[in-house]
Amino acid sequence: VQADDSAHLRDLIADFHEADQGALLEALDADLRPRLIELLGDDFDFAALTEVDDAVREEILEELPAETVAEGVKDLDSDDAVYILEGLDKEDQDEILDALPASERVALQKSLDYPEDSAGRLMQADLIAVPPFWTVGQVLAHLREATELPESFFEIFVVDPGHRLLGHLFLDALLRSDRAARIETLMVSDRRRVRVLDDSEEVARLFQRYNLVSAPVVDEADRLVGVITIDDMVDVLQEEADDEIKALGGVRADEELSDTVLYTTRSRFIWLFVNLLTAFLASSVLGLFEGSLEKMVALAVLAPIVASQGGNAATQTMTVAVRALAMRELGPSNAWRITIREALVGLLNGVGFGLLTGVVASLWFRDWNLGIVICLAMVVNLIAGALGGILIPMALERFRADPAVSSGVFVTTVTDVVGFFSFLGIATLWFGLH
Amino acid sequence: VQADDSAHLRDLIADFHEADQGALLEALDADLRPRLIELLGDDFDFAALTEVDDAVREEILEELPAETVAEGVKDLDSDDAVYILEGLDKEDQDEILDALPASERVALQKSLDYPEDSAGRLMQADLIAVPPFWTVGQVLAHLREATELPESFFEIFVVDPGHRLLGHLFLDALLRSDRAARIETLMVSDRRRVRVLDDSEEVARLFQRYNLVSAPVVDEADRLVGVITIDDMVDVLQEEADDEIKALGGVRADEELSDTVLYTTRSRFIWLFVNLLTAFLASSVLGLFEGSLEKMVALAVLAPIVASQGGNAATQTMTVAVRALAMRELGPSNAWRITIREALVGLLNGVGFGLLTGVVASLWFRDWNLGIVICLAMVVNLIAGALGGILIPMALERFRADPAVSSGVFVTTVTDVVGFFSFLGIATLWFGLH
């Protein structure tokens, strides 16, 4: 790239798959990336830009002249074009849209007008729609002549004169039918459809549940406006899982490996700050029992064990609960049963670990009273943890907060506070430390 | 179901999608499930059994007579049939296989002989393969006459006389071509292929990276033996994410909401037991400083804050690292850069939270010496947490252990031990408590 050897680069890279072109872009120094694209010219597949980190893509697009981008975006499927444009600010978007032919511009603008994360943003506007009275032969002739076809497609749709969706037909069924057969006799009409404003995660859930490969998108008047294919849904599902994992770990969903140190520090600060507040809350419980701790330092040594064991058991329950909520497997119909189950699991593990910890603590500090106290506190805290682990995510879901994001803080606050309070409280009473 | 009203049930349920039939089965009492399937007879779609929890499926299959299962499995695509049979023990499998026609039996047996989680288990053996010298017209005629076709397919494959894979052709390309054109002029030959022994997660990664819809599966001699479609990959990707989330939360991958209390308690016990050991380890560090704690009880109150803040920061880093390792975004090429980045993030957040905690601690206990000590300990622990959070998952990956499963224990052990040790150690030196 540095040698500006355009011909040689074309030879090397032009046949790369878009995903590999994307990986190559990411591996390059930031200032060489736009340069490579300009050198490759027509041989650069703009679809490669859908494969790179958001930050990398936005940087590249800002460097490139609007005409180059417009030229590259023009040949893409509309869903890829929207994906590339949606991250830009309004001004840059308009500049690129203005450089496009009118028909493309209108179509892209329409998609961009749908809210983020809606089916309208994800859908592909190019599709094959035919009237029900056509024959298979007519459809085949139409396909052969049509110019503006999607890059690849698996089914054709059947619409009435008002462009309302009547049904669909997979290509394999089309291929295997008699050329004289009328489409309306072949089409499947009981078809799950997606509304243009549906949330992308709901759409992904539908694909997954019914093993769909593609689904038609209709507007409020049931008019066919686009099609969503499973390859986009794979990305949505993956992103959803990714967001959930990051949320559970206290990391923002948009954090990427290419972020700077300062940006990363700032973005993680908030979560840590909330956790610091809860840590102080837990410590203030310890502060309440300062007198007891002074009289019996073994309590200070053992208290973190009760809190940590409760925290880990609660995290197990919470993980199951958050996962089941995300998969729509946990709802009002089984909430009660699952809560009872988790409480019983907490009780059983509480008794088991209570006895175990009790014996070890008795031996360590040669005081079986201490063993009894820590055993009781462990049972209390593991039951509290189990209940917190299941009830807190369900409550957050009820109040339309994302359980994956904030359950962790609340749940470990419960187990820290209950753990310290029960252990030191029981100890103060048992030993008469007041 | 209880009324044995078969005709009425058929009316109600026969038109259900397989996924809905599956959901219905799960909602029923365990003893009514096999009953429902027998009552529905031919109207029950055995594909529904691929949609239920493993435990539920195995229970149902054990109850049903082998002939009924064989009858139901016979009509399925081979990948679904394998999915249903693979969970059964050898004896039950053989009984069902024996009740199948010879050709089906051989094909299923062959798939079941591939190792679990291999491409061979997931693939669909029914596919369309044609020689390169056929014309489009010949292929269309073949498709129209063929009887044993997969339920739906998106591409046809081109093979040589030795059944070695030459290329493929999407149905839309086939439809749009001249009937006299020869397949070899149309086919795409640069085709990513999957080996029959490839791990299913690697296959899923390939689908995701190249946005594939289906991929041919070849044996060691490059002979075409099957095809994997994206709907199966969606399940693999989802399961992978599911496993990772559960592993990070300390829950076994196979835990399901339908498990019993005892089973769940036992399965979670091991993880909690390992955590208990690490909690004792951390507490023994507190024990080392018993003398200091006795002299200055404020240290006992504040120590958990240092440990917990380090644990949370380390969990953030670990989450990012585990995720990046799973997505193959973190490797030898950028390990060094990312480690430096994380250490710097740890340093910056350490200084920030050190100052914050120091000020609060000074005010709380009216002792600015305590503030300085906790500030220093916080910086040390957040850097240690960042390093542990990135280096431990990478080391586990290097030793071929799953970083998602065990990173958490190691990482929080590091932050607990370093947190307690640095805080109490610095305090002991600073205040001369020895």
Side-chain angles (χ1 to χ4, degrees):
Chain A
V1 181
Q2 271 160 327
D4 274 2
D5 187 350
S6 164
H8 187 57
L9 276 172
R10 282 172 190 246
D11 279 353
L12 270 178
I13 304 170
D15 287 339
F16 274 29
H17 185 276
E18 58 199 50
D20 296 321
Q21 287 194 352
L24 179 71
L25 274 179
E26 287 202 326
L28 278 180
D29 281 343
D31 50 325
L32 291 178
R33 290 170 187 152
R35 196 77 210 93
L36 174 68
I37 295 174
E38 297 204 78
L39 283 173
L40 284 175
D42 285 349
D43 284 328
F44 178 73
D45 183 351
F46 265 68
L49 288 180
T50 64
E51 309 280 342
V52 301
D53 277 0
D54 294 349
V56 173
R57 179 172 53 255
E58 280 156 35
E59 223 180 80
I60 292 176
L61 290 174
E62 266 165 38
E63 290 295 316
L64 287 176
E67 292 72 36
T68 312
V69 179
E71 193 59 37
V73 160
K74 206 179 64 188
D75 301 327
L76 294 181
D77 279 352
S78 65
D79 54 343
D80 289 338
V82 168
Y83 188 82
I84 289 177
L85 294 180
E86 66 182 357
L88 298 177
D89 51 38
K90 194 85 190 82
E91 208 174 306
D92 293 335
Q93 258 181 26
D94 288 342
E95 210 180 318
I96 294 167
L97 286 172
D98 285 341
L100 283 171
S103 66
E104 307 266 341
R105 184 171 61 235
V106 172
L108 284 185
Q109 187 62 62
K110 214 172 132 191
S111 287
L112 285 169
D113 286 344
Y114 291 117
E116 213 178 328
D117 295 325
S118 69
R121 277 283 181 94
L122 283 169
M123 75 189 183
Q124 150 73 22
D126 306 323
L127 51 79
I128 322 284
V130 299
F133 50 81
W134 276 19
T135 62
V136 170
Q138 277 176 297
V139 174
L140 292 179
H142 171 69
L143 287 178
R144 229 166 264 139
E145 285 151 23
T147 51
E148 280 264 335
L149 286 180
E151 213 179 66
S152 75
F153 54 98
F154 316 112
E155 57 184 344
I156 61 167
F157 297 101
V158 188
V159 293
D160 72 5
H163 220 72
R164 275 186 297 271
L165 182 65
L166 297 174
H168 77 116
L169 191 61
F170 279 112
L171 291 189
D172 57 318
L174 192 67
L175 274 171
R176 304 180 61 192
S177 307
D178 188 1
R179 293 175 68 87
R182 283 159 72 98
I183 294 297
E184 57 196 331
T185 63
L186 299 171
M187 72 179 190
V188 186
S189 52
D190 145 56
R191 180 64 176 168
R192 278 145 200 104
R193 54 196 65 183
V194 170
R195 321 242 142 232
V196 79
L197 293 178
D198 282 354
D199 180 73
S200 60
E201 294 192 0
E202 291 303 323
V203 180
R205 199 72 57 220
L206 189 81
F207 267 75
Q208 200 184 11
R209 180 170 173 113
Y210 295 110
N211 299 320
L212 302 181
V213 174
S214 66
V217 182
V218 296
D219 66 10
E220 314 75 51
D222 214 28
R223 277 188 307 257
L224 180 66
V225 290
V227 55
I228 292 188
T229 48
I230 191 171
D231 52 318
D232 297 320
M233 285 305 109
V234 169
D235 295 338
V236 170
L237 284 170
Q238 194 67 27
E239 206 177 292
E240 196 188 342
D242 210 56
D243 289 357
E244 195 177 325
I245 291 172
K246 285 184 176 161
L248 285 169
V251 179
R252 273 166 51 163
D254 57 1
E255 188 177 317
E256 287 171 346
L257 281 187
S258 49
D259 293 338
T260 64
V261 171
L262 265 182
Y263 182 87
T264 308
T265 306
R266 266 210 315 271
S267 106
R268 295 195 193 158
F269 190 90
I270 301 146
W271 169 256
L272 289 177
F273 184 75
V274 174
N275 270 289
L276 184 64
L277 295 181
T278 72
F280 269 110
L281 182 67
S283 278
S284 71
V285 175
L286 285 177
L288 288 180
F289 294 96
E290 235 174 292
S292 308
L293 292 173
E294 230 154 31
K295 286 179 198 139
M296 208 168 162
V297 78
L299 298 179
V301 175
L302 291 173
I305 295 179
V306 180
S308 126
Q309 198 68 358
N312 286 316
T315 301
Q316 289 181 326
T317 302
M318 181 192 85
T319 303
V320 173
V322 165
R323 200 67 202 128
L325 286 169
M327 306 297 287
R328 312 281 181 276
E329 286 175 358
L330 179 58
S333 68
N334 59 355
W336 185 236
R337 188 173 65 77
I338 302 292
T339 306
I340 297 283
R341 189 189 75 147
E342 289 298 330
L344 286 174
V345 171
L347 173 67
L348 288 180
N349 268 331
V351 171
F353 285 107
L355 293 173
L356 210 57
T357 317
V359 170
V360 176
S362 302
L363 295 174
W364 186 358
F365 293 96
R366 296 165 198 283
D367 181 351
W368 60 267
N369 281 299
L370 206 54
I372 292 173
V373 169
I374 203 169
C375 174
L376 292 175
M378 194 70 101
V379 175
V380 171
N381 204 25
L382 260 67
I383 295 175
L387 291 175
I390 182 97
L391 295 177
I392 290 171
M394 289 202 299
L396 288 169
E397 173 95 354
R398 186 70 161 270
F399 292 114
R400 297 180 186 285
D402 181 355
V405 175
S406 30
S407 294
V409 197
F410 289 112
V411 168
T412 51
T413 306
V414 167
T415 52
D416 279 353
V417 168
V418 172
F420 288 153
F421 201 88
S422 62
F423 180 55
L424 296 174
I426 295 173
T428 304
L429 293 175
W430 190 278
F431 295 109
L433 302 168
H434 77 101
Chain B
V1 181
Q2 272 160 328
D4 274 1
D5 187 350
S6 163
H8 187 56
L9 277 172
R10 281 171 190 249
D11 278 355
L12 271 178
I13 304 170
D15 287 339
F16 274 28
H17 186 277
E18 58 199 48
D20 297 323
Q21 286 193 353
L24 179 72
L25 273 180
E26 287 202 327
L28 277 181
D29 281 342
D31 49 324
L32 291 179
R33 289 169 188 153
R35 195 82 208 91
L36 173 69
I37 295 174
E38 297 205 78
L39 284 173
L40 283 175
D42 284 350
D43 283 330
F44 177 73
D45 184 350
F46 265 69
L49 289 180
T50 64
E51 309 280 343
V52 301
D53 277 0
D54 294 349
V56 173
R57 179 173 53 255
E58 280 156 34
E59 222 180 80
I60 292 175
L61 289 175
E62 268 166 34
E63 290 294 317
L64 287 176
E67 292 73 37
T68 312
V69 179
E71 193 59 37
V73 160
K74 205 179 65 190
D75 301 328
L76 294 181
D77 279 351
S78 66
D79 54 342
D80 289 338
V82 168
Y83 187 82
I84 289 177
L85 293 182
E86 67 182 358
L88 298 177
D89 49 37
K90 194 84 191 81
E91 207 175 308
D92 293 336
Q93 260 182 25
D94 289 342
E95 208 179 323
I96 294 166
L97 286 173
D98 286 342
L100 282 171
S103 66
E104 308 266 343
R105 184 172 62 233
V106 173
L108 284 184
Q109 187 62 62
K110 213 171 132 192
S111 287
L112 286 169
D113 286 343
Y114 291 117
E116 214 178 327
D117 295 327
S118 70
R121 276 284 180 93
L122 284 169
M123 75 189 183
Q124 149 75 21
D126 306 325
L127 51 79
I128 321 283
V130 300
F133 50 82
W134 277 19
T135 63
V136 170
Q138 278 176 295
V139 174
L140 293 178
H142 171 69
L143 287 178
R144 228 166 264 139
E145 284 150 24
T147 50
E148 280 265 334
L149 286 180
E151 213 177 66
S152 75
F153 55 99
F154 316 111
E155 56 184 343
I156 61 166
F157 297 100
V158 188
V159 292
D160 72 5
H163 219 73
R164 276 186 296 271
L165 182 65
L166 297 174
H168 76 117
L169 191 60
F170 279 113
L171 292 188
D172 57 320
L174 193 66
L175 275 171
R176 304 179 60 193
S177 307
D178 189 1
R179 292 177 67 87
R182 281 160 72 99
I183 292 298
E184 57 196 330
T185 64
L186 299 170
M187 73 178 188
V188 185
S189 53
D190 147 55
R191 179 63 175 170
R192 279 146 201 102
R193 54 197 64 183
V194 171
R195 320 243 143 231
V196 80
L197 293 178
D198 282 355
D199 180 74
S200 59
E201 294 190 2
E202 291 303 323
V203 180
R205 198 71 58 220
L206 189 81
F207 267 76
Q208 200 184 10
R209 179 169 173 112
Y210 295 110
N211 300 321
L212 302 181
V213 175
S214 66
V217 183
V218 296
D219 65 11
E220 313 76 48
D222 214 29
R223 278 188 304 257
L224 180 66
V225 290
V227 56
I228 292 187
T229 49
I230 193 172
D231 52 317
D232 297 318
M233 285 304 108
V234 169
D235 296 337
V236 170
L237 284 170
Q238 195 68 29
E239 207 177 292
E240 197 188 339
D242 210 58
D243 290 356
E244 194 177 327
I245 291 172
K246 284 183 176 163
L248 285 169
V251 179
R252 273 164 51 161
D254 58 359
E255 188 177 317
E256 287 171 345
L257 281 187
S258 49
D259 292 338
T260 63
V261 171
L262 265 181
Y263 182 86
T264 309
T265 307
R266 265 209 315 271
S267 106
R268 294 195 194 159
F269 191 89
I270 301 146
W271 169 257
L272 289 177
F273 184 74
V274 175
N275 270 289
L276 184 65
L277 295 182
T278 72
F280 268 108
L281 182 67
S283 279
S284 70
V285 175
L286 287 178
L288 287 180
F289 294 94
E290 235 176 293
S292 307
L293 292 173
E294 229 154 31
K295 288 179 196 139
M296 210 170 160
V297 76
L299 297 180
V301 174
L302 291 174
I305 294 179
V306 181
S308 124
Q309 198 69 356
N312 285 317
T315 301
Q316 289 180 326
T317 301
M318 182 191 84
T319 303
V320 173
V322 166
R323 199 68 201 126
L325 286 171
M327 307 296 287
R328 311 280 180 278
E329 287 175 357
L330 179 58
S333 69
N334 59 354
W336 186 237
R337 190 173 63 77
I338 302 291
T339 305
I340 299 282
R341 188 190 76 149
E342 289 298 330
L344 286 173
V345 171
L347 173 67
L348 288 179
N349 268 331
V351 171
F353 286 107
L355 292 173
L356 210 58
T357 317
V359 169
V360 175
S362 301
L363 295 173
W364 186 357
F365 293 96
R366 296 164 200 284
D367 181 350
W368 60 265
N369 281 299
L370 206 53
I372 292 173
V373 170
I374 203 168
C375 174
L376 292 175
M378 193 70 100
V379 175
V380 171
N381 203 25
L382 260 67
I383 295 175
L387 290 176
I390 182 96
L391 295 177
I392 289 172
M394 287 201 299
L396 288 169
E397 173 95 353
R398 186 70 161 270
F399 293 115
R400 296 176 187 287
D402 181 354
V405 174
S406 29
S407 294
V409 198
F410 289 111
V411 169
T412 51
T413 305
V414 167
T415 52
D416 280 353
V417 168
V418 172
F420 288 153
F421 200 88
S422 61
F423 180 54
L424 296 173
I426 295 172
T428 303
L429 292 174
W430 190 277
F431 295 108
L433 302 168
H434 72 103

